[in-house]
mmCIF file of all heavy atoms in Angstrom:
data_model
loop_
_atom_site.group_PDB
_atom_site.id
_atom_site.type_symbol
_atom_site.label_atom_id
_atom_site.label_comp_id
_atom_site.label_asym_id
_atom_site.label_seq_id
_atom_site.Cartn_x
_atom_site.Cartn_y
_atom_site.Cartn_z
ATOM 1 N N LEU A 1 -27.743 5.601 -57.703
ATOM 2 C CA LEU A 1 -27.055 6.825 -57.274
ATOM 3 C C LEU A 1 -25.782 6.493 -56.510
ATOM 4 O O LEU A 1 -24.767 7.209 -56.621
ATOM 5 C CB LEU A 1 -27.997 7.664 -56.414
ATOM 6 C CG LEU A 1 -29.249 8.208 -57.131
ATOM 7 C CD1 LEU A 1 -30.116 8.991 -56.158
ATOM 8 C CD2 LEU A 1 -28.858 9.078 -58.318
ATOM 9 N N ARG A 2 -25.813 5.424 -55.709
ATOM 10 C CA ARG A 2 -24.631 5.012 -54.942
ATOM 11 C C ARG A 2 -23.493 4.604 -55.862
ATOM 12 O O ARG A 2 -22.333 4.997 -55.650
ATOM 13 C CB ARG A 2 -25.020 3.866 -54.022
ATOM 14 C CG ARG A 2 -23.904 3.334 -53.142
ATOM 15 C CD ARG A 2 -24.506 2.363 -52.137
ATOM 16 N NE ARG A 2 -23.509 1.700 -51.341
ATOM 17 C CZ ARG A 2 -23.005 0.490 -51.605
ATOM 18 N NH1 ARG A 2 -23.425 -0.168 -52.677
ATOM 19 N NH2 ARG A 2 -22.108 -0.048 -50.809
ATOM 20 N N ASN A 3 -23.802 3.806 -56.893
ATOM 21 C CA ASN A 3 -22.757 3.384 -57.832
ATOM 22 C C ASN A 3 -22.185 4.583 -58.582
ATOM 23 O O ASN A 3 -20.971 4.673 -58.810
ATOM 24 C CB ASN A 3 -23.326 2.370 -58.816
ATOM 25 C CG ASN A 3 -23.672 1.053 -58.147
ATOM 26 O OD1 ASN A 3 -23.121 0.721 -57.086
ATOM 27 N ND2 ASN A 3 -24.578 0.296 -58.752
ATOM 28 N N ALA A 4 -23.080 5.491 -58.988
ATOM 29 C CA ALA A 4 -22.592 6.696 -59.657
ATOM 30 C C ALA A 4 -21.701 7.515 -58.733
ATOM 31 O O ALA A 4 -20.674 8.077 -59.155
ATOM 32 C CB ALA A 4 -23.775 7.540 -60.135
ATOM 33 N N ALA A 5 -22.072 7.589 -57.446
ATOM 34 C CA ALA A 5 -21.249 8.340 -56.479
ATOM 35 C C ALA A 5 -19.905 7.673 -56.272
ATOM 36 O O ALA A 5 -18.885 8.361 -56.092
ATOM 37 C CB ALA A 5 -22.011 8.472 -55.162
ATOM 38 N N LEU A 6 -19.892 6.339 -56.238
ATOM 39 C CA LEU A 6 -18.616 5.633 -56.086
ATOM 40 C C LEU A 6 -17.695 5.928 -57.260
ATOM 41 O O LEU A 6 -16.483 6.138 -57.073
ATOM 42 C CB LEU A 6 -18.861 4.126 -55.946
ATOM 43 C CG LEU A 6 -19.517 3.673 -54.629
ATOM 44 C CD1 LEU A 6 -19.841 2.188 -54.682
ATOM 45 C CD2 LEU A 6 -18.596 3.979 -53.449
ATOM 46 N N GLU A 7 -18.253 5.930 -58.452
ATOM 47 C CA GLU A 7 -17.445 6.305 -59.610
ATOM 48 C C GLU A 7 -16.963 7.739 -59.485
ATOM 49 O O GLU A 7 -15.804 8.049 -59.779
ATOM 50 C CB GLU A 7 -18.263 6.130 -60.890
ATOM 51 C CG GLU A 7 -18.564 4.692 -61.263
ATOM 52 C CD GLU A 7 -17.308 3.936 -61.658
ATOM 53 O OE1 GLU A 7 -16.385 4.562 -62.216
ATOM 54 O OE2 GLU A 7 -17.243 2.719 -61.397
ATOM 55 N N SER A 8 -17.861 8.614 -59.033
ATOM 56 C CA SER A 8 -17.467 10.012 -58.845
ATOM 57 C C SER A 8 -16.393 10.137 -57.780
ATOM 58 O O SER A 8 -15.468 10.953 -57.904
ATOM 59 C CB SER A 8 -18.699 10.834 -58.468
ATOM 60 O OG SER A 8 -18.346 12.166 -58.208
ATOM 61 N N LEU A 9 -16.516 9.321 -56.703
ATOM 62 C CA LEU A 9 -15.502 9.354 -55.656
ATOM 63 C C LEU A 9 -14.151 8.924 -56.192
ATOM 64 O O LEU A 9 -13.113 9.505 -55.832
ATOM 65 C CB LEU A 9 -15.927 8.448 -54.506
ATOM 66 C CG LEU A 9 -14.942 8.337 -53.331
ATOM 67 C CD1 LEU A 9 -14.768 9.701 -52.664
ATOM 68 C CD2 LEU A 9 -15.415 7.297 -52.319
ATOM 69 N N LYS A 10 -14.172 7.918 -57.048
ATOM 70 C CA LYS A 10 -12.904 7.486 -57.643
ATOM 71 C C LYS A 10 -12.279 8.615 -58.447
ATOM 72 O O LYS A 10 -11.070 8.881 -58.343
ATOM 73 C CB LYS A 10 -13.147 6.272 -58.532
ATOM 74 C CG LYS A 10 -11.876 5.712 -59.146
ATOM 75 C CD LYS A 10 -12.176 4.443 -59.922
ATOM 76 C CE LYS A 10 -12.988 4.741 -61.159
ATOM 77 N NZ LYS A 10 -13.165 3.543 -62.011
ATOM 78 N N TYR A 11 -13.157 9.332 -59.190
ATOM 79 C CA TYR A 11 -12.630 10.458 -59.965
ATOM 80 C C TYR A 11 -12.153 11.581 -59.044
ATOM 81 O O TYR A 11 -11.137 12.237 -59.329
ATOM 82 C CB TYR A 11 -13.708 10.976 -60.921
ATOM 83 C CG TYR A 11 -14.073 9.987 -61.989
ATOM 84 C CD1 TYR A 11 -15.388 9.821 -62.387
ATOM 85 C CD2 TYR A 11 -13.096 9.216 -62.613
ATOM 86 C CE1 TYR A 11 -15.743 8.906 -63.371
ATOM 87 C CE2 TYR A 11 -13.435 8.302 -63.589
ATOM 88 C CZ TYR A 11 -14.759 8.144 -63.960
ATOM 89 O OH TYR A 11 -15.096 7.241 -64.934
ATOM 90 N N ARG A 12 -12.888 11.799 -57.905
ATOM 91 C CA ARG A 12 -12.460 12.834 -56.970
ATOM 92 C C ARG A 12 -11.126 12.461 -56.324
ATOM 93 O O ARG A 12 -10.266 13.330 -56.100
ATOM 94 C CB ARG A 12 -13.530 13.044 -55.900
ATOM 95 C CG ARG A 12 -14.763 13.775 -56.407
ATOM 96 C CD ARG A 12 -15.561 14.372 -55.249
ATOM 97 N NE ARG A 12 -16.045 13.342 -54.331
ATOM 98 C CZ ARG A 12 -17.234 12.764 -54.422
ATOM 99 N NH1 ARG A 12 -18.056 13.100 -55.414
ATOM 100 N NH2 ARG A 12 -17.611 11.855 -53.539
ATOM 101 N N SER A 13 -10.947 11.168 -56.041
ATOM 102 C CA SER A 13 -9.664 10.731 -55.486
ATOM 103 C C SER A 13 -8.542 10.961 -56.481
ATOM 104 O O SER A 13 -7.454 11.439 -56.115
ATOM 105 C CB SER A 13 -9.744 9.254 -55.096
ATOM 106 O OG SER A 13 -10.750 9.031 -54.134
ATOM 107 N N GLU A 14 -8.832 10.630 -57.733
ATOM 108 C CA GLU A 14 -7.820 10.874 -58.757
ATOM 109 C C GLU A 14 -7.539 12.362 -58.899
ATOM 110 O O GLU A 14 -6.384 12.769 -59.084
ATOM 111 C CB GLU A 14 -8.299 10.293 -60.083
ATOM 112 C CG GLU A 14 -8.382 8.761 -60.093
ATOM 113 C CD GLU A 14 -8.902 8.227 -61.411
ATOM 114 O OE1 GLU A 14 -9.262 9.052 -62.274
ATOM 115 O OE2 GLU A 14 -8.939 6.996 -61.565
ATOM 116 N N LEU A 15 -8.603 13.175 -58.759
ATOM 117 C CA LEU A 15 -8.407 14.622 -58.841
ATOM 118 C C LEU A 15 -7.573 15.135 -57.677
ATOM 119 O O LEU A 15 -6.690 15.990 -57.851
ATOM 120 C CB LEU A 15 -9.768 15.317 -58.863
ATOM 121 C CG LEU A 15 -9.757 16.838 -58.965
ATOM 122 C CD1 LEU A 15 -9.059 17.280 -60.251
ATOM 123 C CD2 LEU A 15 -11.179 17.406 -58.919
ATOM 124 N N ALA A 16 -7.850 14.587 -56.467
ATOM 125 C CA ALA A 16 -7.041 14.991 -55.307
ATOM 126 C C ALA A 16 -5.582 14.606 -55.505
ATOM 127 O O ALA A 16 -4.662 15.367 -55.156
ATOM 128 C CB ALA A 16 -7.600 14.340 -54.040
ATOM 129 N N LEU A 17 -5.363 13.406 -56.048
ATOM 130 C CA LEU A 17 -3.996 12.984 -56.329
ATOM 131 C C LEU A 17 -3.337 13.904 -57.335
ATOM 132 O O LEU A 17 -2.168 14.282 -57.178
ATOM 133 C CB LEU A 17 -4.007 11.543 -56.840
ATOM 134 C CG LEU A 17 -2.646 10.936 -57.187
ATOM 135 C CD1 LEU A 17 -1.746 10.906 -55.941
ATOM 136 C CD2 LEU A 17 -2.808 9.526 -57.752
ATOM 137 N N VAL A 18 -4.102 14.297 -58.332
ATOM 138 C CA VAL A 18 -3.553 15.216 -59.333
ATOM 139 C C VAL A 18 -3.233 16.558 -58.701
ATOM 140 O O VAL A 18 -2.205 17.181 -59.009
ATOM 141 C CB VAL A 18 -4.557 15.371 -60.499
ATOM 142 C CG1 VAL A 18 -4.121 16.495 -61.435
ATOM 143 C CG2 VAL A 18 -4.673 14.065 -61.278
ATOM 144 N N ARG A 19 -4.138 17.004 -57.807
ATOM 145 C CA ARG A 19 -3.858 18.272 -57.124
ATOM 146 C C ARG A 19 -2.585 18.170 -56.275
ATOM 147 O O ARG A 19 -1.789 19.122 -56.225
ATOM 148 C CB ARG A 19 -5.043 18.650 -56.253
ATOM 149 C CG ARG A 19 -6.254 19.117 -57.063
ATOM 150 C CD ARG A 19 -7.443 19.393 -56.157
ATOM 151 N NE ARG A 19 -8.587 19.868 -56.928
ATOM 152 C CZ ARG A 19 -9.801 20.078 -56.398
ATOM 153 N NH1 ARG A 19 -10.008 19.824 -55.087
ATOM 154 N NH2 ARG A 19 -10.786 20.516 -57.166
ATOM 155 N N GLN A 20 -2.406 17.031 -55.569
ATOM 156 C CA GLN A 20 -1.174 16.826 -54.810
ATOM 157 C C GLN A 20 0.030 16.830 -55.726
ATOM 158 O O GLN A 20 1.078 17.401 -55.403
ATOM 159 C CB GLN A 20 -1.256 15.502 -54.027
ATOM 160 C CG GLN A 20 -0.069 15.220 -53.136
ATOM 161 C CD GLN A 20 0.060 16.255 -52.021
ATOM 162 O OE1 GLN A 20 -0.941 16.747 -51.515
ATOM 163 N NE2 GLN A 20 1.308 16.585 -51.652
ATOM 164 N N GLN A 21 -0.159 16.196 -56.866
ATOM 165 C CA GLN A 21 0.919 16.205 -57.853
ATOM 166 C C GLN A 21 1.168 17.609 -58.365
ATOM 167 O O GLN A 21 2.308 17.980 -58.657
ATOM 168 C CB GLN A 21 0.571 15.266 -59.003
ATOM 169 C CG GLN A 21 0.580 13.799 -58.611
ATOM 170 C CD GLN A 21 0.123 12.907 -59.753
ATOM 171 O OE1 GLN A 21 -0.330 13.401 -60.771
ATOM 172 N NE2 GLN A 21 0.228 11.598 -59.551
ATOM 173 N N ASP A 22 0.103 18.420 -58.422
ATOM 174 C CA ASP A 22 0.277 19.809 -58.854
ATOM 175 C C ASP A 22 1.132 20.578 -57.875
ATOM 176 O O ASP A 22 1.936 21.444 -58.255
ATOM 177 C CB ASP A 22 -1.092 20.487 -59.000
ATOM 178 C CG ASP A 22 -1.859 19.970 -60.210
ATOM 179 O OD1 ASP A 22 -1.205 19.400 -61.106
ATOM 180 O OD2 ASP A 22 -3.094 20.147 -60.254
ATOM 181 N N ILE A 23 0.954 20.244 -56.553
ATOM 182 C CA ILE A 23 1.799 20.900 -55.552
ATOM 183 C C ILE A 23 3.258 20.536 -55.773
ATOM 184 O O ILE A 23 4.149 21.390 -55.764
ATOM 185 C CB ILE A 23 1.339 20.505 -54.129
ATOM 186 C CG1 ILE A 23 -0.079 21.027 -53.882
ATOM 187 C CG2 ILE A 23 2.311 21.028 -53.080
ATOM 188 C CD1 ILE A 23 -0.672 20.558 -52.557
ATOM 189 N N ASP A 24 3.511 19.242 -56.007
ATOM 190 C CA ASP A 24 4.882 18.806 -56.288
ATOM 191 C C ASP A 24 5.396 19.459 -57.560
ATOM 192 O O ASP A 24 6.567 19.851 -57.645
ATOM 193 C CB ASP A 24 4.926 17.286 -56.407
ATOM 194 C CG ASP A 24 4.566 16.606 -55.089
ATOM 195 O OD1 ASP A 24 4.692 17.263 -54.033
ATOM 196 O OD2 ASP A 24 4.140 15.424 -55.132
ATOM 197 N N VAL A 25 4.507 19.574 -58.522
ATOM 198 C CA VAL A 25 4.909 20.221 -59.768
ATOM 199 C C VAL A 25 5.236 21.684 -59.540
ATOM 200 O O VAL A 25 6.176 22.243 -60.132
ATOM 201 C CB VAL A 25 3.785 20.062 -60.813
ATOM 202 C CG1 VAL A 25 4.063 20.930 -62.025
ATOM 203 C CG2 VAL A 25 3.660 18.611 -61.235
ATOM 204 N N THR A 26 4.482 22.329 -58.610
ATOM 205 C CA THR A 26 4.762 23.742 -58.302
ATOM 206 C C THR A 26 6.154 23.888 -57.696
ATOM 207 O O THR A 26 6.932 24.788 -58.066
ATOM 208 C CB THR A 26 3.691 24.282 -57.348
ATOM 209 O OG1 THR A 26 2.409 24.119 -57.943
ATOM 210 C CG2 THR A 26 3.927 25.755 -57.055
ATOM 211 N N ASN A 27 6.493 22.995 -56.734
ATOM 212 C CA ASN A 27 7.844 23.033 -56.152
ATOM 213 C C ASN A 27 8.899 22.774 -57.210
ATOM 214 O O ASN A 27 9.941 23.435 -57.246
ATOM 215 C CB ASN A 27 7.957 21.997 -55.028
ATOM 216 C CG ASN A 27 7.029 22.321 -53.859
ATOM 217 O OD1 ASN A 27 6.709 23.483 -53.615
ATOM 218 N ND2 ASN A 27 6.592 21.283 -53.149
ATOM 219 N N PHE A 28 8.626 21.816 -58.036
ATOM 220 C CA PHE A 28 9.571 21.535 -59.115
ATOM 221 C C PHE A 28 9.705 22.732 -60.039
ATOM 222 O O PHE A 28 10.804 23.054 -60.512
ATOM 223 C CB PHE A 28 9.084 20.309 -59.891
ATOM 224 C CG PHE A 28 9.903 20.006 -61.111
ATOM 225 C CD1 PHE A 28 11.158 19.419 -61.007
ATOM 226 C CD2 PHE A 28 9.432 20.350 -62.366
ATOM 227 C CE1 PHE A 28 11.912 19.144 -62.132
ATOM 228 C CE2 PHE A 28 10.179 20.082 -63.500
ATOM 229 C CZ PHE A 28 11.414 19.479 -63.380
ATOM 230 N N GLU A 29 8.562 23.401 -60.262
ATOM 231 C CA GLU A 29 8.603 24.565 -61.150
ATOM 232 C C GLU A 29 9.439 25.685 -60.543
ATOM 233 O O GLU A 29 10.186 26.380 -61.251
ATOM 234 C CB GLU A 29 7.176 25.037 -61.412
ATOM 235 C CG GLU A 29 7.096 26.139 -62.469
ATOM 236 C CD GLU A 29 5.658 26.504 -62.782
ATOM 237 O OE1 GLU A 29 4.755 25.933 -62.137
ATOM 238 O OE2 GLU A 29 5.452 27.354 -63.652
ATOM 239 N N GLU A 30 9.333 25.881 -59.199
ATOM 240 C CA GLU A 30 10.156 26.904 -58.550
ATOM 241 C C GLU A 30 11.635 26.567 -58.685
ATOM 242 O O GLU A 30 12.463 27.443 -59.000
ATOM 243 C CB GLU A 30 9.765 27.012 -57.081
ATOM 244 C CG GLU A 30 8.363 27.581 -56.876
ATOM 245 C CD GLU A 30 7.975 27.598 -55.415
ATOM 246 O OE1 GLU A 30 8.781 27.076 -54.585
ATOM 247 O OE2 GLU A 30 6.887 28.124 -55.087
ATOM 248 N N SER A 31 11.975 25.301 -58.439
ATOM 249 C CA SER A 31 13.380 24.895 -58.598
ATOM 250 C C SER A 31 13.835 25.084 -60.037
ATOM 251 O O SER A 31 14.964 25.523 -60.302
ATOM 252 C CB SER A 31 13.550 23.433 -58.169
ATOM 253 O OG SER A 31 13.178 23.256 -56.812
ATOM 254 N N LEU A 32 12.946 24.759 -60.930
ATOM 255 C CA LEU A 32 13.281 24.913 -62.340
ATOM 256 C C LEU A 32 13.487 26.378 -62.705
ATOM 257 O O LEU A 32 14.420 26.724 -63.451
ATOM 258 C CB LEU A 32 12.176 24.305 -63.211
ATOM 259 C CG LEU A 32 12.384 24.369 -64.722
ATOM 260 C CD1 LEU A 32 13.639 23.586 -65.122
ATOM 261 C CD2 LEU A 32 11.160 23.832 -65.462
ATOM 262 N N ASN A 33 12.649 27.251 -62.153
ATOM 263 C CA ASN A 33 12.818 28.685 -62.430
ATOM 264 C C ASN A 33 14.135 29.197 -61.872
ATOM 265 O O ASN A 33 14.832 30.010 -62.518
ATOM 266 C CB ASN A 33 11.655 29.472 -61.835
ATOM 267 C CG ASN A 33 10.348 29.201 -62.571
ATOM 268 O OD1 ASN A 33 10.363 28.882 -63.764
ATOM 269 N ND2 ASN A 33 9.232 29.341 -61.867
ATOM 270 N N ASP A 34 14.521 28.742 -60.637
ATOM 271 C CA ASP A 34 15.802 29.152 -60.065
ATOM 272 C C ASP A 34 16.949 28.674 -60.939
ATOM 273 O O ASP A 34 17.905 29.426 -61.213
ATOM 274 C CB ASP A 34 15.928 28.593 -58.641
ATOM 275 C CG ASP A 34 17.226 29.008 -57.979
ATOM 276 O OD1 ASP A 34 17.426 30.222 -57.786
ATOM 277 O OD2 ASP A 34 18.029 28.106 -57.667
ATOM 278 N N PHE A 35 16.848 27.421 -61.385
ATOM 279 C CA PHE A 35 17.889 26.904 -62.274
ATOM 280 C C PHE A 35 17.943 27.700 -63.575
ATOM 281 O O PHE A 35 19.026 27.996 -64.094
ATOM 282 C CB PHE A 35 17.604 25.427 -62.574
ATOM 283 C CG PHE A 35 18.486 24.845 -63.634
ATOM 284 C CD1 PHE A 35 19.813 24.515 -63.379
ATOM 285 C CD2 PHE A 35 17.989 24.660 -64.924
ATOM 286 C CE1 PHE A 35 20.623 23.998 -64.373
ATOM 287 C CE2 PHE A 35 18.784 24.136 -65.921
ATOM 288 C CZ PHE A 35 20.100 23.804 -65.653
ATOM 289 N N LYS A 36 16.762 28.070 -64.072
ATOM 290 C CA LYS A 36 16.718 28.833 -65.323
ATOM 291 C C LYS A 36 17.370 30.198 -65.138
ATOM 292 O O LYS A 36 18.085 30.687 -66.037
ATOM 293 C CB LYS A 36 15.273 28.990 -65.788
ATOM 294 C CG LYS A 36 14.681 27.700 -66.358
ATOM 295 C CD LYS A 36 13.197 27.825 -66.581
ATOM 296 C CE LYS A 36 12.888 28.869 -67.615
ATOM 297 N NZ LYS A 36 11.433 28.948 -67.884
ATOM 298 N N GLU A 37 17.155 30.837 -63.969
ATOM 299 C CA GLU A 37 17.776 32.138 -63.741
ATOM 300 C C GLU A 37 19.294 32.024 -63.696
ATOM 301 O O GLU A 37 20.017 32.811 -64.312
ATOM 302 C CB GLU A 37 17.248 32.730 -62.437
ATOM 303 C CG GLU A 37 15.769 33.143 -62.514
ATOM 304 C CD GLU A 37 15.263 33.659 -61.192
ATOM 305 O OE1 GLU A 37 16.071 33.646 -60.208
ATOM 306 O OE2 GLU A 37 14.082 34.049 -61.127
ATOM 307 N N ARG A 38 19.768 31.041 -62.903
ATOM 308 C CA ARG A 38 21.232 30.868 -62.804
ATOM 309 C C ARG A 38 21.821 30.472 -64.156
ATOM 310 O O ARG A 38 22.885 30.931 -64.557
ATOM 311 C CB ARG A 38 21.569 29.815 -61.749
ATOM 312 C CG ARG A 38 21.286 30.333 -60.339
ATOM 313 C CD ARG A 38 21.711 29.366 -59.239
ATOM 314 N NE ARG A 38 20.754 28.280 -59.055
ATOM 315 C CZ ARG A 38 20.944 27.048 -59.442
ATOM 316 N NH1 ARG A 38 22.066 26.699 -60.050
ATOM 317 N NH2 ARG A 38 20.023 26.122 -59.235
ATOM 318 N N PHE A 39 21.105 29.600 -64.855
ATOM 319 C CA PHE A 39 21.574 29.214 -66.171
ATOM 320 C C PHE A 39 21.581 30.400 -67.132
ATOM 321 O O PHE A 39 22.486 30.543 -67.965
ATOM 322 C CB PHE A 39 20.669 28.100 -66.724
ATOM 323 C CG PHE A 39 21.082 27.604 -68.078
ATOM 324 C CD1 PHE A 39 22.113 26.692 -68.219
ATOM 325 C CD2 PHE A 39 20.456 28.071 -69.223
ATOM 326 C CE1 PHE A 39 22.498 26.237 -69.464
ATOM 327 C CE2 PHE A 39 20.836 27.634 -70.476
ATOM 328 C CZ PHE A 39 21.851 26.709 -70.592
ATOM 329 N N ALA A 40 20.596 31.296 -66.958
ATOM 330 C CA ALA A 40 20.524 32.467 -67.825
ATOM 331 C C ALA A 40 21.721 33.391 -67.590
ATOM 332 O O ALA A 40 22.283 33.970 -68.535
ATOM 333 C CB ALA A 40 19.209 33.206 -67.592
ATOM 334 N N ARG A 41 22.089 33.550 -66.290
ATOM 335 C CA ARG A 41 23.259 34.398 -65.994
ATOM 336 C C ARG A 41 24.503 33.795 -66.627
ATOM 337 O O ARG A 41 25.297 34.508 -67.272
ATOM 338 C CB ARG A 41 23.431 34.554 -64.486
ATOM 339 C CG ARG A 41 22.369 35.434 -63.837
ATOM 340 C CD ARG A 41 22.802 35.851 -62.426
ATOM 341 N NE ARG A 41 22.941 34.680 -61.554
ATOM 342 C CZ ARG A 41 21.949 34.183 -60.824
ATOM 343 N NH1 ARG A 41 20.750 34.735 -60.878
ATOM 344 N NH2 ARG A 41 22.163 33.128 -60.060
ATOM 345 N N ASN A 42 24.721 32.517 -66.409
ATOM 346 C CA ASN A 42 25.902 31.879 -66.996
ATOM 347 C C ASN A 42 25.848 31.943 -68.531
ATOM 348 O O ASN A 42 26.883 32.154 -69.183
ATOM 349 C CB ASN A 42 25.991 30.424 -66.550
ATOM 350 C CG ASN A 42 26.249 30.304 -65.051
ATOM 351 O OD1 ASN A 42 26.843 31.189 -64.451
ATOM 352 N ND2 ASN A 42 25.798 29.213 -64.455
ATOM 353 N N TYR A 43 24.672 31.795 -69.040
ATOM 354 C CA TYR A 43 24.538 31.853 -70.505
ATOM 355 C C TYR A 43 24.870 33.252 -71.021
ATOM 356 O O TYR A 43 25.507 33.400 -72.073
ATOM 357 C CB TYR A 43 23.112 31.466 -70.900
ATOM 358 C CG TYR A 43 22.852 31.580 -72.384
ATOM 359 C CD1 TYR A 43 23.267 30.590 -73.271
ATOM 360 C CD2 TYR A 43 22.211 32.699 -72.896
ATOM 361 C CE1 TYR A 43 23.041 30.713 -74.624
ATOM 362 C CE2 TYR A 43 21.990 32.836 -74.251
ATOM 363 C CZ TYR A 43 22.400 31.829 -75.112
ATOM 364 O OH TYR A 43 22.169 31.959 -76.464
ATOM 365 N N ASP A 44 24.439 34.271 -70.245
ATOM 366 C CA ASP A 44 24.720 35.640 -70.675
ATOM 367 C C ASP A 44 26.223 35.906 -70.699
ATOM 368 O O ASP A 44 26.765 36.498 -71.646
ATOM 369 C CB ASP A 44 24.005 36.619 -69.733
ATOM 370 C CG ASP A 44 24.183 38.056 -70.166
ATOM 371 O OD1 ASP A 44 23.775 38.386 -71.306
ATOM 372 O OD2 ASP A 44 24.726 38.843 -69.378
ATOM 373 N N LEU A 45 26.909 35.456 -69.622
ATOM 374 C CA LEU A 45 28.362 35.636 -69.588
ATOM 375 C C LEU A 45 29.031 34.891 -70.738
ATOM 376 O O LEU A 45 29.892 35.432 -71.439
ATOM 377 C CB LEU A 45 28.909 35.141 -68.235
ATOM 378 C CG LEU A 45 28.493 35.959 -66.999
ATOM 379 C CD1 LEU A 45 28.981 35.267 -65.729
ATOM 380 C CD2 LEU A 45 29.043 37.376 -67.087
ATOM 381 N N ALA A 46 28.629 33.633 -70.900
ATOM 382 C CA ALA A 46 29.232 32.853 -71.987
ATOM 383 C C ALA A 46 28.914 33.467 -73.342
ATOM 384 O O ALA A 46 29.754 33.467 -74.251
ATOM 385 C CB ALA A 46 28.725 31.417 -71.915
#
């Protein structure tokens, strides 16, 4: 059970890292959406 838990802990650590990366991805997504809006305005004018 201990070895199985250690493997699970490794997966949980990787999941936590992915979740942290998801936060960074969320910030990146907000910046990307702002860029998309500004780009859309310029695109509309052009």
Side-chain angles (χ1 to χ4, degrees):
L1 296 179
R2 181 171 174 264
N3 292 337
L6 290 174
E7 291 293 328
S8 177
L9 178 63
K10 183 175 69 174
Y11 294 140
R12 287 199 299 267
S13 300
E14 293 178 356
L15 181 60
L17 180 61
V18 170
R19 288 176 179 174
Q20 183 64 34
Q21 291 176 352
D22 288 340
I23 296 174
D24 296 338
V25 170
T26 303
N27 296 332
F28 174 76
E29 187 175 3
E30 292 177 355
S31 300
L32 181 62
N33 291 332
D34 181 63
F35 171 75
K36 286 170 64 177
E37 291 177 358
R38 289 185 281 106
F39 181 80
R41 289 195 297 270
N42 294 332
Y43 176 80
D44 183 59
L45 293 174

